[in-house]
């Protein structure tokens, strides 16, 4: 695969990159000619210990002496734009070669798993597991996608042209790319964010999920039309329902997005029906299919609800199926069955929306509610819970003074409207961010009961706690044990199939406790939550809040799910994906199919093949626990350093994330002035370290922990653990990825800074220590030595953006040293962010 990568990607990039020089734009030849010279100056400059300022100033003195500051800054902006387009070209070349550099039918594919189960006589066991298993990918609106929609369209066309070696078309598209802006002039609205992601549903997921399901069921000789688990592969959808810290998402947004989802799945059906009807031209079948097509058309374009639910549509399709078998020997039955399966999979909802809000907002709502009812809120939590459960009605909406509290109550009403329009599947869960107690769950339960559940036998909504910090993860089993023991909540669960979904936050967990501690704490929490749930007769489903990079639970995800072992409930895999991770891993049908199958296969393998590599013994657990505690202490000491927050606020590009116009959400929770660590969102937190090429959340504490274990004579045990445990290998392997994307020479100038010099030294010491210790434990000569393709991809991407990194650090260094802000330098920082983060593909 590595030789293929070098031929199909690395060499092609060198060839196609030369086309930029011939583009008919002002100064393009000069920019394209000077850029390699700047890139060489950056490489040699950092190798010889120069600062970004010395490199940039030296470049101008040598290559363009006598140029004014304006001419210099203009050229730097032109170079930024040039590099941004080089990144797009490299992405397109890599995507075009996807099937050649990834074995779509090899390890981790469903074909490979089926072949293995046939050899091991486990095929029937696989089929039984498929009847109940599920993978749910939830697309979030979190702002990590730096390409606007029109650029994504060019990338799609460019990839196709590269696949076909169409030089003329490639040249045209590069010209279009050169004239197309890469930056949104205004922040998108929450609805616009939803529209952007619905593009992926319509153009990628609709086809990929259908393809996987059809191939899988056909290969196992299972009839498509009545397959009992159409929810095997699902797409969750947060835009329009995720209110956590985003004041721009309202109940109207939720209704608008749900309506858009319904219309767009009906569009997909309509297109398929028109093709299908060209085959089903037979008596007693054609008239039914024509009726179905007209019904979808009327619902879509004439605002007439012919089909109120997917069940109504399926009844007509099954009638056509019966006639096809009875009168026409089942000719083209396979095509009709494939369409029936799609309707059963996607329904009228297309994707599963979630509602989400921070627990502190619910606290505030109940405080005002009690005031309006004249109830003095009790001081202890147990009595507060009794007061909430005793509340049998809500005050009139008009009586609430806080407009946000009114909006929250309207959101519950909106869930009912969405159920009526799109079915309960469209939005069936409410997620409580920052959940720290049973009270936080009861608050939402009772609100749902008094709004959505009013006059009904049960509440048609799942209450989902999100445990995020290290302390909350530790408390989670006790909280859920109490909830399971509450008769009223237990009755609610019984009506919901005795199933409880629990969300766990990798992003905030890492921000709070560091890389090792967060990942280990989440695994331990899953094991304990599985235990207490089983003891109470409840099936627990874990929903992982992951981001793109290893620091936010990303990286090589499928190996994590393959390594969970017997102590973790394995009925479903649920995970968030966002921004760059959507476009990079699921943005094309080939990559979407590959990565979806990898996750599905990982979950099934974990069930079918329980071996020592997947199950940690007590000695191994004690070893990881000790390592995680040591890493936590090192990270906590670093996080508590007096320069930690000031460094983020005044040195890193943190504040510029709010200026990028890539998402509707504010930079931080809360409205207060100044930066509080607890209010800082995980995306700008991790993204800021990525911009600085320091990647602290992805490795800090790893080196210190291994070194401490080595001093206590346990290094050999860690080496053995690395060879024997898939979980531990994946954990350290993802940290290696963070280290490989770091470049500390770019910020070496900070060691001379009187305010942050000592702080920078702490970072670089841990960086170097982590590299050395990881290589020792993994018995590798270099990091990621076992994955040369990914290593090469990272290296090329880092080389492409090195000029941007240097320009950004030049601007930061200049302002730090002068003590003055500069509009031009600030713009250089902001503009360079886009290319740096796009090149990384999973940096935030």
């Amino acid at each position: 695969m590595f030789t293929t990568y070098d031929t199909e990607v690395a060499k092609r990039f060198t060839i196609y990159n030369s086309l930029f020089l011939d583009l008919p734009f002002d100064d393009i030849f000069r920019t394209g000619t000077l850029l390699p010279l700047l890139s060489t100056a950056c490489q040699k400059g950092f190798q010889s210990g120069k600062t970004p300022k010395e490199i940039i100033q030296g470049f101008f003195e040598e290559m363009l002496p006598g140029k004014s500051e304006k001419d210099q800054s203009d050229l730097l902006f032109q170079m930024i734009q040039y590099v941004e387009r080089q990144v797009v070209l490299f992405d397109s070349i890599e995507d075009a070669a996807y099937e050649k550099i990834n074995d779509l039918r090899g390890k981790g594919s469903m074909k490979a798993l089926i072949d293995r189960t046939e050899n091991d006589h486990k095929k029937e066991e696989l089929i039984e597991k498929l009847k109940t298993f599920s993978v749910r990918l939830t697309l979030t609106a979190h702002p990590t996608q730096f390409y606007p929609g029109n650029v994504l369209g060019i990338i799609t066309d460019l990839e196709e042209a590269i696949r076909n070696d169409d030089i003329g078309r490639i040249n045209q598209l590069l010209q279009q790319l050169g004239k197309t802006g890469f930056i949104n002039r205004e922040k998108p609205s929450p609805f616009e964010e939803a529209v952007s992601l619905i593009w992926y549903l319509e153009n990628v997921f609709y086809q990929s999920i259908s393809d996987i399901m059809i191939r899988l069921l056909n290969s196992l000789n299972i009839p498509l039309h009545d397959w009992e688990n159409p929810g095997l592969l699902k797409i969750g959808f947060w835009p329009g329902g995720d209110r956590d810290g985003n004041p721009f998402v309202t109940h109207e947004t939720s209704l608008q997005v749900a309506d858009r989802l319904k219309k767009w799945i009906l569009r997909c059906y309509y297109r398929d029906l028109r093709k299908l009807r060209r085959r089903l031209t037979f008596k007693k079948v054609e008239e039914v299919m024509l009726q179905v097509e007209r019904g979808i058309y009327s619902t879509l374009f004439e605002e007439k609800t012919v089909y109120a639910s997917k069940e109504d549509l399926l009844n007509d399709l099954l009638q056509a199926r019966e006639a096809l078998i009875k009168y026409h020997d089942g000719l083209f039955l396979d095509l009709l069955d494939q369409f029936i399966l799609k309707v059963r999979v996607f329904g009228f909802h297309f994707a599963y929306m979630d509602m989400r809000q921070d627990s502190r907002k619910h606290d505030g709502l109940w405080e005002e509610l009690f005031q309006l009812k004249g109830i003095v809120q009790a001081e202890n939590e147990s009595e507060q819970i009794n007061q909430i459960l005793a509340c049998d009605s809500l005050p009139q909406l008009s009586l609430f003074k806080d407009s946000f509290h009114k909006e929250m109550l309207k959101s519950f009403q909106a869930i009912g409207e969405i159920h009526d329009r799109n079915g309960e599947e469209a939005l069936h869960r409410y997620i409580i961010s920052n959940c720290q107690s049973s009270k936080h769950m009861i608050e939402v339960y009772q609100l749902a009961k008094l709004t959505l559940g009013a006059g009904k036998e049960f509440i048609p909504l799942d209450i989902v706690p999100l445990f995020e910090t290290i302390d909350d993860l530790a408390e989670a089993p006790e909280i859920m044990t109490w909830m399971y023991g509450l008769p009223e909540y237990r009755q609610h669960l019984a009506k919901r199939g005795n199933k409880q979904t629990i969300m766990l936050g990798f992003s905030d967990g890492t921000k709070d406790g560091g890389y090792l501690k967060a990942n280990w704490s989440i695994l331990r929490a899953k094991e304990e939550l599985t235990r207490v749930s089983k003891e109470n007769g409840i099936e627990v489903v874990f929903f992982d809040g992951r981001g793109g990079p290893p620091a936010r639970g990303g990286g090589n995800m499928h190996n994590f799910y393959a390594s969970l072992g017997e102590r973790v409930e394995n009925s479903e895999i649920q995970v968030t994906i966002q921004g760059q991770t959507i476009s990079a891993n699921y943005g094309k049908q080939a990559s979407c199919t590959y990565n979806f199958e990898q996750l599905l296969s990982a979950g099934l393998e974990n069930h079918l093949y329980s071996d020592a590599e997947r199950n940690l013994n007590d000695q191994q657990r004690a070893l990881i626990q000790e390592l995680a505690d040591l890493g936590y202490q090192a990270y906590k000491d670093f996080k508590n350093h007096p320069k930690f927050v000031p460094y983020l606020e005044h040195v890193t590009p943190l504040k510029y994330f709010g200026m990028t116009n890539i998402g509707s959400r504010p930079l931080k929770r809360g409205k207060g002035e100044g930066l509080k660590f607890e209010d800082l969102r995980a995306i700008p937190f991790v993204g800021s370290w990525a911009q600085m090429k320091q990647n602290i959340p992805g490795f800090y504490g790893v080196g210190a922990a291994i070194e401490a274990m080595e001093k206590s004579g346990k290094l050999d045990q860690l080496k053995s653990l690395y060879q024997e445990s898939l979980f531990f290998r994946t954990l350290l392997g993802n940290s290696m990825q963070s280290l490989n994307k770091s470049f500390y020479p770019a910020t070496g100038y900070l060691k001379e800074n009187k305010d942050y010099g000592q702080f920078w030294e702490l970072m670089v010491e841990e960086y170097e220590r982590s590299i050395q210790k990881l290589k020792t434990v993994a018995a590798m000569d270099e990091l990621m030595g076992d994955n040369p393709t990914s290593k090469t991809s990272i290296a090329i991407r880092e080389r492409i953006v090195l000029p941007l990194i240097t320009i950004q650090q030049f601007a930061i260094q200049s302002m730090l040293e002068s003590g003055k802000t500069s509009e031009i330098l600030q713009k250089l920082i902001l503009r360079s962010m886009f290319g740096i983060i796009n090149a990384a593909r999973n940096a935030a």
Side-chain angles (χ1 to χ4, degrees), residues 327-384:
Y327 300 108
H328 306 288
D329 298 322
L331 185 59
F332 298 126
L333 183 63
D334 58 331
L335 299 181
L336 179 57
D337 280 352
Q338 287 173 16
F339 182 67
I340 289 171
L341 179 66
K342 289 178 183 178
V343 175
R344 296 186 66 232
V345 168
F346 296 104
F348 277 18
H349 58 281
F350 209 165
Y352 297 76
M353 293 177 69
D354 286 327
M355 199 74 81
R356 184 170 80 123
Q357 184 55 275
D358 191 286
S359 63
R360 289 166 289 193
K361 302 298 182 185
H362 305 130
D363 287 341
L365 172 56
W366 276 99
E367 282 176 19
E368 184 176 6
L369 196 155
F370 282 152
Q371 287 172 7
L372 290 172
K373 292 177 85 69
I375 299 170
V376 178
Q377 195 168 24
E379 290 189 12
N380 72 65
E381 184 175 292
S382 176
E383 290 178 18
Q384 287 175 7

Side-chain angles (χ1 to χ4, degrees), residues 481-768:
T481 299
W482 191 91
M483 291 298 299
Y484 294 151
L486 183 69
E488 188 165 347
Y489 189 72
R490 187 57 188 259
Q491 288 170 14
H492 167 67
L493 286 180
K495 297 287 187 181
R496 306 298 292 171
N498 281 317
K499 184 180 282 191
Q500 172 68 56
T501 302
I502 297 173
M503 188 171 181
L504 303 163
F506 282 77
S507 302
D508 285 281
T510 305
K511 179 186 142 209
D512 180 51
Y515 179 73
L516 290 172
K517 184 70 170 180
N519 279 277
W520 179 240
S521 295
I522 287 170
L523 179 62
R524 290 290 298 119
K526 283 184 175 182
E527 291 177 340
E528 284 300 296
L529 287 164
T530 298
R531 180 183 61 79
V532 300
S533 298
K534 283 183 176 177
E535 287 173 358
N536 286 276
I538 301 297
E539 180 186 331
V540 66
V541 174
F542 295 114
F543 179 20
D544 293 339
R546 295 178 181 267
R552 298 187 56 239
N556 192 343
M557 277 198 302
H558 58 269
N559 273 350
F560 269 125
Y561 289 109
S563 70
L564 291 178
E566 296 174 340
R567 296 194 191 185
V568 175
E569 182 64 71
N570 183 37
S571 57
E572 297 186 29
I573 289 176
Q574 296 195 12
V575 60
T576 58
I577 55 170
Q578 57 205 252
Q580 299 157 300
T581 312
I582 298 171
S583 57
N585 293 353
Y586 299 91
K588 307 289 188 301
Q589 284 183 41
S591 59
C592 179
T593 299
Y594 176 79
N595 285 297
F596 229 138
E597 283 198 26
Q598 289 283 319
L599 274 179
L600 177 59
S601 176
L604 294 168
E605 270 195 23
N606 191 43
H607 170 77
L608 294 167
Y609 296 96
S610 179
D611 52 38
E613 192 178 49
R614 288 181 171 83
N615 291 290
L616 296 163
N617 61 40
D618 290 343
Q619 184 183 1
Q620 291 171 328
R621 287 170 177 281
L623 208 60
I624 299 175
Q625 182 68 58
E626 187 178 350
L627 190 75
D629 289 341
L630 289 165
Y632 180 41
Q633 190 57 52
Y635 177 77
K636 196 161 65 168
D637 291 344
F638 181 68
K639 190 177 72 171
N640 291 334
H641 193 286
K643 293 297 181 184
F644 188 87
V645 172
Y647 181 83
L648 278 169
E649 191 169 11
H650 302 301
V651 180
T652 76
L654 175 68
K655 56 181 169 287
Y656 297 96
F657 271 83
M659 306 176 193
T660 53
N661 290 340
I662 55 167
S664 65
R665 272 200 329 179
L667 185 67
K668 60 188 180 73
R669 295 178 175 94
K671 298 178 181 178
E673 293 297 316
L675 180 67
K676 289 183 181 176
F677 181 75
E678 58 271 23
D679 287 337
L680 184 58
R681 293 194 175 280
I683 288 171
F685 173 73
V686 172
S688 297
W689 293 112
Q691 288 286 315
M692 297 293 286
K693 308 311 293 180
Q694 292 169 338
N695 289 324
I696 289 296
F699 74 85
Y700 201 94
V702 173
I706 295 173
E707 184 177 75
M709 297 282 277
E710 184 178 13
K711 286 177 180 175
S712 62
K714 296 179 180 175
L715 182 61
D716 286 342
Q717 292 179 51
L718 289 177
K719 287 181 178 180
S720 297
L721 181 61
Y722 184 84
Q723 297 301 323
E724 295 165 3
S725 166
L726 180 58
F727 170 78
F728 193 60
R729 269 201 310 281
T730 306
L731 185 68
L732 297 195
N734 279 351
S735 192
M736 290 180 195
Q737 191 183 121
S738 292
L739 288 160
N740 260 11
K741 291 184 178 182
S742 302
F743 186 65
Y744 275 80
T747 54
Y749 65 90
L750 286 168
K751 76 179 159 195
E752 306 300 332
N753 186 284
K754 62 181 175 60
D755 292 320
Y756 301 107
Q758 186 262 343
F759 186 71
W760 183 86
E761 292 276 12
L762 283 175
M763 287 190 278
V764 79
E765 282 171 17
E766 180 59 11
Y767 164 73
E768 291 170 350

